[in-house]
PDB file of all heavy atoms in Angstrom:
ATOM      1  N   LEU R   1     -17.975  52.395 -56.711  1.00 76.00           N
ATOM      2  CA  LEU R   1     -16.750  52.803 -57.394  1.00 76.00           C
ATOM      3  C   LEU R   1     -15.795  51.625 -57.551  1.00 76.00           C
ATOM      4  O   LEU R   1     -15.226  51.401 -58.617  1.00 76.00           O
ATOM      5  CB  LEU R   1     -16.065  53.936 -56.622  1.00 76.00           C
ATOM      6  CG  LEU R   1     -14.780  54.498 -57.262  1.00 76.00           C
ATOM      7  CD1 LEU R   1     -15.081  55.087 -58.635  1.00 76.00           C
ATOM      8  CD2 LEU R   1     -14.153  55.547 -56.363  1.00 76.00           C
ATOM      9  N   GLY R   2     -15.629  50.857 -56.477  1.00 77.00           N
ATOM     10  CA  GLY R   2     -14.751  49.688 -56.537  1.00 77.00           C
ATOM     11  C   GLY R   2     -15.231  48.655 -57.532  1.00 77.00           C
ATOM     12  O   GLY R   2     -14.449  48.108 -58.314  1.00 77.00           O
ATOM     13  N   ILE R   3     -16.556  48.386 -57.535  1.00 78.00           N
ATOM     14  CA  ILE R   3     -17.128  47.414 -58.472  1.00 78.00           C
ATOM     15  C   ILE R   3     -16.971  47.903 -59.911  1.00 78.00           C
ATOM     16  O   ILE R   3     -16.614  47.129 -60.809  1.00 78.00           O
ATOM     17  CB  ILE R   3     -18.611  47.162 -58.151  1.00 78.00           C
ATOM     18  CG1 ILE R   3     -18.743  46.421 -56.803  1.00 78.00           C
ATOM     19  CG2 ILE R   3     -19.282  46.351 -59.258  1.00 78.00           C
ATOM     20  CD1 ILE R   3     -20.166  46.262 -56.335  1.00 78.00           C
ATOM     21  N   ALA R   4     -17.227  49.201 -60.140  1.00 75.00           N
ATOM     22  CA  ALA R   4     -17.126  49.771 -61.490  1.00 75.00           C
ATOM     23  C   ALA R   4     -15.711  49.642 -62.030  1.00 75.00           C
ATOM     24  O   ALA R   4     -15.502  49.255 -63.196  1.00 75.00           O
ATOM     25  CB  ALA R   4     -17.558  51.235 -61.472  1.00 75.00           C
ATOM     26  N   ILE R   5     -14.727  49.955 -61.198  1.00 70.00           N
ATOM     27  CA  ILE R   5     -13.322  49.853 -61.628  1.00 70.00           C
ATOM     28  C   ILE R   5     -12.976  48.407 -61.953  1.00 70.00           C
ATOM     29  O   ILE R   5     -12.349  48.108 -62.973  1.00 70.00           O
ATOM     30  CB  ILE R   5     -12.376  50.407 -60.542  1.00 70.00           C
ATOM     31  CG1 ILE R   5     -12.558  51.928 -60.411  1.00 70.00           C
ATOM     32  CG2 ILE R   5     -10.930  50.075 -60.861  1.00 70.00           C
ATOM     33  CD1 ILE R   5     -11.799  52.531 -59.254  1.00 70.00           C
ATOM     34  N   THR R   6     -13.402  47.485 -61.094  1.00 69.00           N
ATOM     35  CA  THR R   6     -13.110  46.068 -61.295  1.00 69.00           C
ATOM     36  C   THR R   6     -13.720  45.552 -62.594  1.00 69.00           C
ATOM     37  O   THR R   6     -13.061  44.881 -63.388  1.00 69.00           O
ATOM     38  CB  THR R   6     -13.631  45.243 -60.102  1.00 69.00           C
ATOM     39  OG1 THR R   6     -12.977  45.665 -58.916  1.00 69.00           O
ATOM     40  CG2 THR R   6     -13.359  43.759 -60.325  1.00 69.00           C
ATOM     41  N   ILE R   7     -14.997  45.860 -62.824  1.00 70.00           N
ATOM     42  CA  ILE R   7     -15.678  45.403 -64.043  1.00 70.00           C
ATOM     43  C   ILE R   7     -14.994  45.981 -65.279  1.00 70.00           C
ATOM     44  O   ILE R   7     -14.744  45.275 -66.266  1.00 70.00           O
ATOM     45  CB  ILE R   7     -17.168  45.808 -64.020  1.00 70.00           C
ATOM     46  CG1 ILE R   7     -17.905  45.006 -62.936  1.00 70.00           C
ATOM     47  CG2 ILE R   7     -17.821  45.567 -65.380  1.00 70.00           C
ATOM     48  CD1 ILE R   7     -19.332  45.431 -62.731  1.00 70.00           C
ATOM     49  N   TYR R   8     -14.667  47.269 -65.207  1.00 62.00           N
ATOM     50  CA  TYR R   8     -13.998  47.923 -66.340  1.00 62.00           C
ATOM     51  C   TYR R   8     -12.673  47.252 -66.653  1.00 62.00           C
ATOM     52  O   TYR R   8     -12.347  46.968 -67.811  1.00 62.00           O
ATOM     53  CB  TYR R   8     -13.796  49.404 -66.022  1.00 62.00           C
ATOM     54  CG  TYR R   8     -13.033  50.153 -67.090  1.00 62.00           C
ATOM     55  CD1 TYR R   8     -13.610  50.408 -68.331  1.00 62.00           C
ATOM     56  CD2 TYR R   8     -11.740  50.603 -66.865  1.00 62.00           C
ATOM     57  CE1 TYR R   8     -12.913  51.094 -69.313  1.00 62.00           C
ATOM     58  CE2 TYR R   8     -11.039  51.290 -67.840  1.00 62.00           C
ATOM     59  CZ  TYR R   8     -11.633  51.531 -69.058  1.00 62.00           C
ATOM     60  OH  TYR R   8     -10.936  52.204 -70.029  1.00 62.00           O
ATOM     61  N   LEU R   9     -11.910  46.978 -65.619  1.00 61.00           N
ATOM     62  CA  LEU R   9     -10.601  46.366 -65.811  1.00 61.00           C
ATOM     63  C   LEU R   9     -10.720  44.961 -66.374  1.00 61.00           C
ATOM     64  O   LEU R   9      -9.918  44.541 -67.201  1.00 61.00           O
ATOM     65  CB  LEU R   9      -9.838  46.349 -64.488  1.00 61.00           C
ATOM     66  CG  LEU R   9      -9.418  47.714 -63.941  1.00 61.00           C
ATOM     67  CD1 LEU R   9      -8.776  47.558 -62.576  1.00 61.00           C
ATOM     68  CD2 LEU R   9      -8.470  48.408 -64.887  1.00 61.00           C
ATOM     69  N   LEU R  10     -11.732  44.201 -65.919  1.00 60.00           N
ATOM     70  CA  LEU R  10     -11.915  42.847 -66.426  1.00 60.00           C
ATOM     71  C   LEU R  10     -12.321  42.861 -67.901  1.00 60.00           C
ATOM     72  O   LEU R  10     -11.915  42.001 -68.677  1.00 60.00           O
ATOM     73  CB  LEU R  10     -12.977  42.115 -65.595  1.00 60.00           C
ATOM     74  CG  LEU R  10     -12.546  41.691 -64.185  1.00 60.00           C
ATOM     75  CD1 LEU R  10     -13.736  41.179 -63.410  1.00 60.00           C
ATOM     76  CD2 LEU R  10     -11.449  40.637 -64.240  1.00 60.00           C
ATOM     77  N   ILE R  11     -13.122  43.845 -68.297  1.00 61.00           N
ATOM     78  CA  ILE R  11     -13.610  43.924 -69.671  1.00 61.00           C
ATOM     79  C   ILE R  11     -12.504  44.296 -70.645  1.00 61.00           C
ATOM     80  O   ILE R  11     -12.403  43.736 -71.742  1.00 61.00           O
ATOM     81  CB  ILE R  11     -14.778  44.937 -69.779  1.00 61.00           C
ATOM     82  CG1 ILE R  11     -16.033  44.357 -69.100  1.00 61.00           C
ATOM     83  CG2 ILE R  11     -15.092  45.261 -71.248  1.00 61.00           C
ATOM     84  CD1 ILE R  11     -17.170  45.341 -69.003  1.00 61.00           C
ATOM     85  N   ILE R  12     -11.624  45.244 -70.264  1.00 56.00           N
ATOM     86  CA  ILE R  12     -10.639  45.754 -71.224  1.00 56.00           C
ATOM     87  C   ILE R  12      -9.452  44.820 -71.428  1.00 56.00           C
ATOM     88  O   ILE R  12      -8.618  45.053 -72.288  1.00 56.00           O
ATOM     89  CB  ILE R  12     -10.120  47.150 -70.811  1.00 56.00           C
ATOM     90  CG1 ILE R  12      -9.392  47.085 -69.461  1.00 56.00           C
ATOM     91  CG2 ILE R  12     -11.229  48.162 -70.782  1.00 56.00           C
ATOM     92  CD1 ILE R  12      -8.773  48.405 -69.051  1.00 56.00           C
ATOM     93  N   GLY R  13      -9.358  43.733 -70.656  1.00 56.00           N
ATOM     94  CA  GLY R  13      -8.303  42.758 -70.887  1.00 56.00           C
ATOM     95  C   GLY R  13      -7.079  42.957 -70.014  1.00 56.00           C
ATOM     96  O   GLY R  13      -6.910  43.988 -69.370  1.00 56.00           O
ATOM     97  N   SER R  14      -6.205  41.940 -70.013  1.00 56.00           N
ATOM     98  CA  SER R  14      -5.096  41.902 -69.059  1.00 56.00           C
ATOM     99  C   SER R  14      -4.074  43.012 -69.279  1.00 56.00           C
ATOM    100  O   SER R  14      -3.539  43.567 -68.324  1.00 56.00           O
ATOM    101  CB  SER R  14      -4.399  40.534 -69.105  1.00 56.00           C
ATOM    102  OG  SER R  14      -3.858  40.301 -70.383  1.00 56.00           O
ATOM    103  N   PHE R  15      -3.783  43.348 -70.558  1.00 59.00           N
ATOM    104  CA  PHE R  15      -2.758  44.360 -70.803  1.00 59.00           C
ATOM    105  C   PHE R  15      -3.184  45.716 -70.237  1.00 59.00           C
ATOM    106  O   PHE R  15      -2.466  46.342 -69.467  1.00 59.00           O
ATOM    107  CB  PHE R  15      -2.470  44.483 -72.303  1.00 59.00           C
ATOM    108  CG  PHE R  15      -1.522  45.601 -72.637  1.00 59.00           C
ATOM    109  CD1 PHE R  15      -0.198  45.528 -72.265  1.00 59.00           C
ATOM    110  CD2 PHE R  15      -1.962  46.723 -73.322  1.00 59.00           C
ATOM    111  CE1 PHE R  15       0.685  46.554 -72.559  1.00 59.00           C
ATOM    112  CE2 PHE R  15      -1.092  47.750 -73.623  1.00 59.00           C
ATOM    113  CZ  PHE R  15       0.232  47.665 -73.243  1.00 59.00           C
ATOM    114  N   ARG R  16      -4.378  46.173 -70.629  1.00 62.00           N
ATOM    115  CA  ARG R  16      -4.863  47.458 -70.109  1.00 62.00           C
ATOM    116  C   ARG R  16      -5.220  47.342 -68.628  1.00 62.00           C
ATOM    117  O   ARG R  16      -5.183  48.328 -67.897  1.00 62.00           O
ATOM    118  CB  ARG R  16      -6.062  47.934 -70.928  1.00 62.00           C
ATOM    119  CG  ARG R  16      -5.673  48.390 -72.330  1.00 62.00           C
ATOM    120  CD  ARG R  16      -6.848  49.012 -73.052  1.00 62.00           C
ATOM    121  NE  ARG R  16      -6.448  49.576 -74.331  1.00 62.00           N
ATOM    122  CZ  ARG R  16      -6.404  48.888 -75.463  1.00 62.00           C
ATOM    123  NH1 ARG R  16      -6.748  47.614 -75.471  1.00 62.00           N
ATOM    124  NH2 ARG R  16      -6.029  49.472 -76.583  1.00 62.00           N
ATOM    125  N   PHE R  17      -5.558  46.125 -68.200  1.00 61.00           N
ATOM    126  CA  PHE R  17      -5.798  45.856 -66.782  1.00 61.00           C
ATOM    127  C   PHE R  17      -4.550  46.212 -65.972  1.00 61.00           C
ATOM    128  O   PHE R  17      -4.596  46.975 -65.009  1.00 61.00           O
ATOM    129  CB  PHE R  17      -6.143  44.368 -66.623  1.00 61.00           C
ATOM    130  CG  PHE R  17      -6.618  43.969 -65.259  1.00 61.00           C
ATOM    131  CD1 PHE R  17      -7.967  43.802 -65.019  1.00 61.00           C
ATOM    132  CD2 PHE R  17      -5.734  43.724 -64.227  1.00 61.00           C
ATOM    133  CE1 PHE R  17      -8.419  43.420 -63.776  1.00 61.00           C
ATOM    134  CE2 PHE R  17      -6.165  43.349 -62.983  1.00 61.00           C
ATOM    135  CZ  PHE R  17      -7.521  43.196 -62.759  1.00 61.00           C
ATOM    136  N   ILE R  18      -3.416  45.642 -66.384  1.00 63.00           N
ATOM    137  CA  ILE R  18      -2.146  45.925 -65.711  1.00 63.00           C
ATOM    138  C   ILE R  18      -1.832  47.414 -65.785  1.00 63.00           C
ATOM    139  O   ILE R  18      -1.450  48.043 -64.798  1.00 63.00           O
ATOM    140  CB  ILE R  18      -0.997  45.123 -66.362  1.00 63.00           C
ATOM    141  CG1 ILE R  18      -1.224  43.621 -66.183  1.00 63.00           C
ATOM    142  CG2 ILE R  18       0.353  45.521 -65.769  1.00 63.00           C
ATOM    143  CD1 ILE R  18      -0.276  42.763 -66.965  1.00 63.00           C
ATOM    144  N   LEU R  19      -1.999  47.957 -66.977  1.00 66.00           N
ATOM    145  CA  LEU R  19      -1.638  49.354 -67.211  1.00 66.00           C
ATOM    146  C   LEU R  19      -2.423  50.302 -66.312  1.00 66.00           C
ATOM    147  O   LEU R  19      -1.862  51.190 -65.672  1.00 66.00           O
ATOM    148  CB  LEU R  19      -1.884  49.700 -68.685  1.00 66.00           C
ATOM    149  CG  LEU R  19      -1.514  51.116 -69.110  1.00 66.00           C
ATOM    150  CD1 LEU R  19      -0.021  51.334 -68.974  1.00 66.00           C
ATOM    151  CD2 LEU R  19      -1.949  51.355 -70.538  1.00 66.00           C
ATOM    152  N   LEU R  20      -3.745  50.114 -66.248  1.00 68.00           N
ATOM    153  CA  LEU R  20      -4.574  51.029 -65.479  1.00 68.00           C
ATOM    154  C   LEU R  20      -4.337  50.897 -63.980  1.00 68.00           C
ATOM    155  O   LEU R  20      -4.336  51.882 -63.240  1.00 68.00           O
ATOM    156  CB  LEU R  20      -6.057  50.805 -65.804  1.00 68.00           C
ATOM    157  CG  LEU R  20      -6.974  51.993 -65.553  1.00 68.00           C
ATOM    158  CD1 LEU R  20      -6.508  53.228 -66.311  1.00 68.00           C
ATOM    159  CD2 LEU R  20      -8.412  51.658 -65.907  1.00 68.00           C
ATOM    160  N   VAL R  21      -4.130  49.648 -63.522  1.00 66.00           N
ATOM    161  CA  VAL R  21      -3.841  49.440 -62.092  1.00 66.00           C
ATOM    162  C   VAL R  21      -2.525  50.106 -61.712  1.00 66.00           C
ATOM    163  O   VAL R  21      -2.433  50.833 -60.726  1.00 66.00           O
ATOM    164  CB  VAL R  21      -3.778  47.933 -61.770  1.00 66.00           C
ATOM    165  CG1 VAL R  21      -3.241  47.702 -60.362  1.00 66.00           C
ATOM    166  CG2 VAL R  21      -5.168  47.320 -61.890  1.00 66.00           C
ATOM    167  N   ILE R  22      -1.505  49.846 -62.542  1.00 68.00           N
ATOM    168  CA  ILE R  22      -0.194  50.434 -62.283  1.00 68.00           C
ATOM    169  C   ILE R  22      -0.271  51.959 -62.334  1.00 68.00           C
ATOM    170  O   ILE R  22       0.456  52.654 -61.634  1.00 68.00           O
ATOM    171  CB  ILE R  22       0.843  49.904 -63.299  1.00 68.00           C
ATOM    172  CG1 ILE R  22       1.113  48.433 -63.009  1.00 68.00           C
ATOM    173  CG2 ILE R  22       2.139  50.692 -63.260  1.00 68.00           C
ATOM    174  CD1 ILE R  22       2.017  47.760 -64.017  1.00 68.00           C
ATOM    175  N   TYR R  23      -1.168  52.461 -63.155  1.00 76.00           N
ATOM    176  CA  TYR R  23      -1.299  53.906 -63.315  1.00 76.00           C
ATOM    177  C   TYR R  23      -2.140  54.542 -62.209  1.00 76.00           C
ATOM    178  O   TYR R  23      -1.758  55.564 -61.633  1.00 76.00           O
ATOM    179  CB  TYR R  23      -1.930  54.208 -64.674  1.00 76.00           C
ATOM    180  CG  TYR R  23      -1.986  55.680 -65.008  1.00 76.00           C
ATOM    181  CD1 TYR R  23      -0.820  56.372 -65.328  1.00 76.00           C
ATOM    182  CD2 TYR R  23      -3.184  56.379 -64.990  1.00 76.00           C
ATOM    183  CE1 TYR R  23      -0.849  57.717 -65.628  1.00 76.00           C
ATOM    184  CE2 TYR R  23      -3.231  57.727 -65.295  1.00 76.00           C
ATOM    185  CZ  TYR R  23      -2.062  58.392 -65.613  1.00 76.00           C
ATOM    186  OH  TYR R  23      -2.096  59.724 -65.893  1.00 76.00           O
ATOM    187  N   LEU R  24      -3.289  53.957 -61.889  1.00 77.00           N
ATOM    188  CA  LEU R  24      -4.247  54.596 -60.984  1.00 77.00           C
ATOM    189  C   LEU R  24      -3.803  54.578 -59.524  1.00 77.00           C
ATOM    190  O   LEU R  24      -3.798  55.615 -58.851  1.00 77.00           O
ATOM    191  CB  LEU R  24      -5.611  53.916 -61.132  1.00 77.00           C
ATOM    192  CG  LEU R  24      -6.766  54.534 -60.359  1.00 77.00           C
ATOM    193  CD1 LEU R  24      -7.012  55.963 -60.797  1.00 77.00           C
ATOM    194  CD2 LEU R  24      -8.030  53.698 -60.515  1.00 77.00           C
ATOM    195  N   LEU R  25      -3.414  53.421 -59.032  1.00 76.00           N
ATOM    196  CA  LEU R  25      -3.099  53.298 -57.606  1.00 76.00           C
ATOM    197  C   LEU R  25      -1.920  54.169 -57.167  1.00 76.00           C
ATOM    198  O   LEU R  25      -2.026  54.903 -56.183  1.00 76.00           O
ATOM    199  CB  LEU R  25      -2.836  51.827 -57.251  1.00 76.00           C
ATOM    200  CG  LEU R  25      -4.027  50.877 -57.413  1.00 76.00           C
ATOM    201  CD1 LEU R  25      -3.636  49.471 -56.973  1.00 76.00           C
ATOM    202  CD2 LEU R  25      -5.234  51.352 -56.631  1.00 76.00           C
ATOM    203  N   PRO R  26      -0.789  54.128 -57.878  1.00 85.00           N
ATOM    204  CA  PRO R  26       0.327  54.984 -57.454  1.00 85.00           C
ATOM    205  C   PRO R  26       0.004  56.477 -57.526  1.00 85.00           C
ATOM    206  O   PRO R  26       0.544  57.256 -56.749  1.00 85.00           O
ATOM    207  CB  PRO R  26       1.453  54.632 -58.436  1.00 85.00           C
ATOM    208  CG  PRO R  26       1.101  53.291 -58.943  1.00 85.00           C
ATOM    209  CD  PRO R  26      -0.388  53.260 -58.985  1.00 85.00           C
ATOM    210  N   ASN R  27      -0.867  56.875 -58.466  1.00 88.00           N
ATOM    211  CA  ASN R  27      -1.244  58.284 -58.561  1.00 88.00           C
ATOM    212  C   ASN R  27      -1.952  58.761 -57.294  1.00 88.00           C
ATOM    213  O   ASN R  27      -1.677  59.860 -56.799  1.00 88.00           O
ATOM    214  CB  ASN R  27      -2.145  58.517 -59.782  1.00 88.00           C
ATOM    215  CG  ASN R  27      -1.348  58.908 -61.008  1.00 88.00           C
ATOM    216  OD1 ASN R  27      -0.597  59.876 -60.993  1.00 88.00           O
ATOM    217  ND2 ASN R  27      -1.487  58.151 -62.079  1.00 88.00           N
ATOM    218  N   ILE R  28      -2.849  57.945 -56.789  1.00 84.00           N
ATOM    219  CA  ILE R  28      -3.557  58.296 -55.551  1.00 84.00           C
ATOM    220  C   ILE R  28      -2.562  58.381 -54.391  1.00 84.00           C
ATOM    221  O   ILE R  28      -2.583  59.312 -53.587  1.00 84.00           O
ATOM    222  CB  ILE R  28      -4.653  57.258 -55.240  1.00 84.00           C
ATOM    223  CG1 ILE R  28      -5.680  57.217 -56.383  1.00 84.00           C
ATOM    224  CG2 ILE R  28      -5.357  57.586 -53.936  1.00 84.00           C
ATOM    225  CD1 ILE R  28      -6.660  56.075 -56.280  1.00 84.00           C
ATOM    226  N   TYR R  29      -1.699  57.399 -54.340  1.00 86.00           N
ATOM    227  CA  TYR R  29      -0.691  57.318 -53.274  1.00 86.00           C
ATOM    228  C   TYR R  29       0.250  58.525 -53.329  1.00 86.00           C
ATOM    229  O   TYR R  29       0.546  59.169 -52.320  1.00 86.00           O
ATOM    230  CB  TYR R  29       0.082  56.015 -53.449  1.00 86.00           C
ATOM    231  CG  TYR R  29       1.103  55.724 -52.381  1.00 86.00           C
ATOM    232  CD1 TYR R  29       0.727  55.159 -51.170  1.00 86.00           C
ATOM    233  CD2 TYR R  29       2.448  55.982 -52.598  1.00 86.00           C
ATOM    234  CE1 TYR R  29       1.665  54.861 -50.199  1.00 86.00           C
ATOM    235  CE2 TYR R  29       3.397  55.697 -51.632  1.00 86.00           C
ATOM    236  CZ  TYR R  29       2.996  55.132 -50.431  1.00 86.00           C
ATOM    237  OH  TYR R  29       3.930  54.851 -49.467  1.00 86.00           O
ATOM    238  N   LEU R  30       0.711  58.845 -54.551  1.00 88.00           N
ATOM    239  CA  LEU R  30       1.648  59.952 -54.735  1.00 88.00           C
ATOM    240  C   LEU R  30       0.983  61.290 -54.408  1.00 88.00           C
ATOM    241  O   LEU R  30       1.598  62.165 -53.789  1.00 88.00           O
ATOM    242  CB  LEU R  30       2.137  59.944 -56.191  1.00 88.00           C
ATOM    243  CG  LEU R  30       3.545  60.483 -56.467  1.00 88.00           C
ATOM    244  CD1 LEU R  30       4.580  59.716 -55.670  1.00 88.00           C
ATOM    245  CD2 LEU R  30       3.859  60.378 -57.954  1.00 88.00           C
ATOM    246  N   HIS R  31      -0.264  61.431 -54.808  1.00 86.00           N
ATOM    247  CA  HIS R  31      -1.004  62.662 -54.520  1.00 86.00           C
ATOM    248  C   HIS R  31      -1.081  62.923 -53.018  1.00 86.00           C
ATOM    249  O   HIS R  31      -0.851  64.038 -52.542  1.00 86.00           O
ATOM    250  CB  HIS R  31      -2.413  62.584 -55.116  1.00 86.00           C
ATOM    251  CG  HIS R  31      -3.319  63.672 -54.640  1.00 86.00           C
ATOM    252  ND1 HIS R  31      -4.166  63.513 -53.554  1.00 86.00           N
ATOM    253  CD2 HIS R  31      -3.499  64.954 -55.071  1.00 86.00           C
ATOM    254  CE1 HIS R  31      -4.828  64.642 -53.347  1.00 86.00           C
ATOM    255  NE2 HIS R  31      -4.440  65.526 -54.251  1.00 86.00           N
ATOM    256  N   ASN R  32      -1.400  61.884 -52.261  1.00 82.00           N
ATOM    257  CA  ASN R  32      -1.526  62.038 -50.805  1.00 82.00           C
ATOM    258  C   ASN R  32      -0.214  62.470 -50.162  1.00 82.00           C
ATOM    259  O   ASN R  32      -0.204  63.207 -49.176  1.00 82.00           O
ATOM    260  CB  ASN R  32      -2.014  60.734 -50.173  1.00 82.00           C
ATOM    261  CG  ASN R  32      -3.457  60.432 -50.525  1.00 82.00           C
ATOM    262  OD1 ASN R  32      -4.204  61.323 -50.918  1.00 82.00           O
ATOM    263  ND2 ASN R  32      -3.856  59.176 -50.417  1.00 82.00           N
ATOM    264  N   HIS R  33       0.890  62.011 -50.723  1.00 84.00           N
ATOM    265  CA  HIS R  33       2.199  62.364 -50.158  1.00 84.00           C
ATOM    266  C   HIS R  33       2.599  63.803 -50.503  1.00 84.00           C
ATOM    267  O   HIS R  33       2.984  64.577 -49.633  1.00 84.00           O
ATOM    268  CB  HIS R  33       3.272  61.404 -50.672  1.00 84.00           C
ATOM    269  CG  HIS R  33       3.557  60.289 -49.715  1.00 84.00           C
ATOM    270  ND1 HIS R  33       4.203  60.491 -48.518  1.00 84.00           N
ATOM    271  CD2 HIS R  33       3.263  58.974 -49.764  1.00 84.00           C
ATOM    272  CE1 HIS R  33       4.323  59.344 -47.878  1.00 84.00           C
ATOM    273  NE2 HIS R  33       3.746  58.400 -48.618  1.00 84.00           N
ATOM    274  N   ILE R  34       2.536  64.110 -51.806  1.00 85.00           N
ATOM    275  CA  ILE R  34       3.023  65.419 -52.249  1.00 85.00           C
ATOM    276  C   ILE R  34       2.135  66.543 -51.730  1.00 85.00           C
ATOM    277  O   ILE R  34       2.604  67.659 -51.462  1.00 85.00           O
ATOM    278  CB  ILE R  34       3.118  65.457 -53.794  1.00 85.00           C
ATOM    279  CG1 ILE R  34       4.063  64.353 -54.280  1.00 85.00           C
ATOM    280  CG2 ILE R  34       3.634  66.803 -54.280  1.00 85.00           C
ATOM    281  CD1 ILE R  34       4.130  64.220 -55.786  1.00 85.00           C
ATOM    282  N   LYS R  35       0.851  66.253 -51.554  1.00 81.00           N
ATOM    283  CA  LYS R  35      -0.077  67.279 -51.086  1.00 81.00           C
ATOM    284  C   LYS R  35       0.296  67.797 -49.697  1.00 81.00           C
ATOM    285  O   LYS R  35       0.011  68.939 -49.337  1.00 81.00           O
ATOM    286  CB  LYS R  35      -1.506  66.719 -51.066  1.00 81.00           C
ATOM    287  CG  LYS R  35      -2.567  67.780 -50.787  1.00 81.00           C
ATOM    288  CD  LYS R  35      -3.964  67.180 -50.809  1.00 81.00           C
ATOM    289  CE  LYS R  35      -5.005  68.244 -50.472  1.00 81.00           C
ATOM    290  NZ  LYS R  35      -6.375  67.691 -50.465  1.00 81.00           N
ATOM    291  N   LYS R  36       0.966  66.952 -48.905  1.00 79.00           N
ATOM    292  CA  LYS R  36       1.350  67.353 -47.552  1.00 79.00           C
ATOM    293  C   LYS R  36       2.349  68.509 -47.553  1.00 79.00           C
ATOM    294  O   LYS R  36       2.511  69.192 -46.537  1.00 79.00           O
ATOM    295  CB  LYS R  36       1.946  66.155 -46.809  1.00 79.00           C
ATOM    296  CG  LYS R  36       0.924  65.071 -46.515  1.00 79.00           C
ATOM    297  CD  LYS R  36       1.582  63.847 -45.892  1.00 79.00           C
ATOM    298  CE  LYS R  36       0.565  62.735 -45.679  1.00 79.00           C
ATOM    299  NZ  LYS R  36       1.198  61.510 -45.133  1.00 79.00           N
ATOM    300  N   ILE R  37       3.014  68.699 -48.688  1.00 80.00           N
ATOM    301  CA  ILE R  37       3.965  69.809 -48.790  1.00 80.00           C
ATOM    302  C   ILE R  37       3.216  71.137 -48.807  1.00 80.00           C
ATOM    303  O   ILE R  37       3.695  72.152 -48.318  1.00 80.00           O
ATOM    304  CB  ILE R  37       4.820  69.663 -50.070  1.00 80.00           C
ATOM    305  CG1 ILE R  37       5.633  68.365 -49.996  1.00 80.00           C
ATOM    306  CG2 ILE R  37       5.746  70.850 -50.263  1.00 80.00           C
ATOM    307  CD1 ILE R  37       6.336  68.018 -51.287  1.00 80.00           C
ATOM    308  N   PHE R  38       2.010  71.106 -49.391  1.00 72.00           N
ATOM    309  CA  PHE R  38       1.193  72.325 -49.492  1.00 72.00           C
ATOM    310  C   PHE R  38       0.250  72.382 -48.294  1.00 72.00           C
ATOM    311  O   PHE R  38      -0.826  71.791 -48.300  1.00 72.00           O
ATOM    312  CB  PHE R  38       0.412  72.323 -50.808  1.00 72.00           C
ATOM    313  CG  PHE R  38       1.306  72.185 -52.010  1.00 72.00           C
ATOM    314  CD1 PHE R  38       1.597  70.932 -52.544  1.00 72.00           C
ATOM    315  CD2 PHE R  38       1.879  73.304 -52.600  1.00 72.00           C
ATOM    316  CE1 PHE R  38       2.422  70.798 -53.640  1.00 72.00           C
ATOM    317  CE2 PHE R  38       2.715  73.176 -53.698  1.00 72.00           C
ATOM    318  CZ  PHE R  38       2.992  71.928 -54.218  1.00 72.00           C
ATOM    319  N   VAL R  39       0.667  73.085 -47.262  1.00 63.00           N
ATOM    320  CA  VAL R  39      -0.020  73.060 -45.981  1.00 63.00           C
ATOM    321  C   VAL R  39      -1.400  73.704 -46.047  1.00 63.00           C
ATOM    322  O   VAL R  39      -2.394  73.152 -45.573  1.00 63.00           O
ATOM    323  CB  VAL R  39       0.817  73.762 -44.886  1.00 63.00           C
ATOM    324  CG1 VAL R  39       0.056  73.781 -43.574  1.00 63.00           C
ATOM    325  CG2 VAL R  39       2.163  73.060 -44.735  1.00 63.00           C
TER     326      VAL R  39
END
């Protein structure tokens, strides 16, 4: 999974690289936090 994401990001170029990283990582982080509200 890590290799696939890295290769994909390298192929699509720096702009979409930045965009997808900024988009994907915080979503995972935010999900883990907000989910704790739903016991």
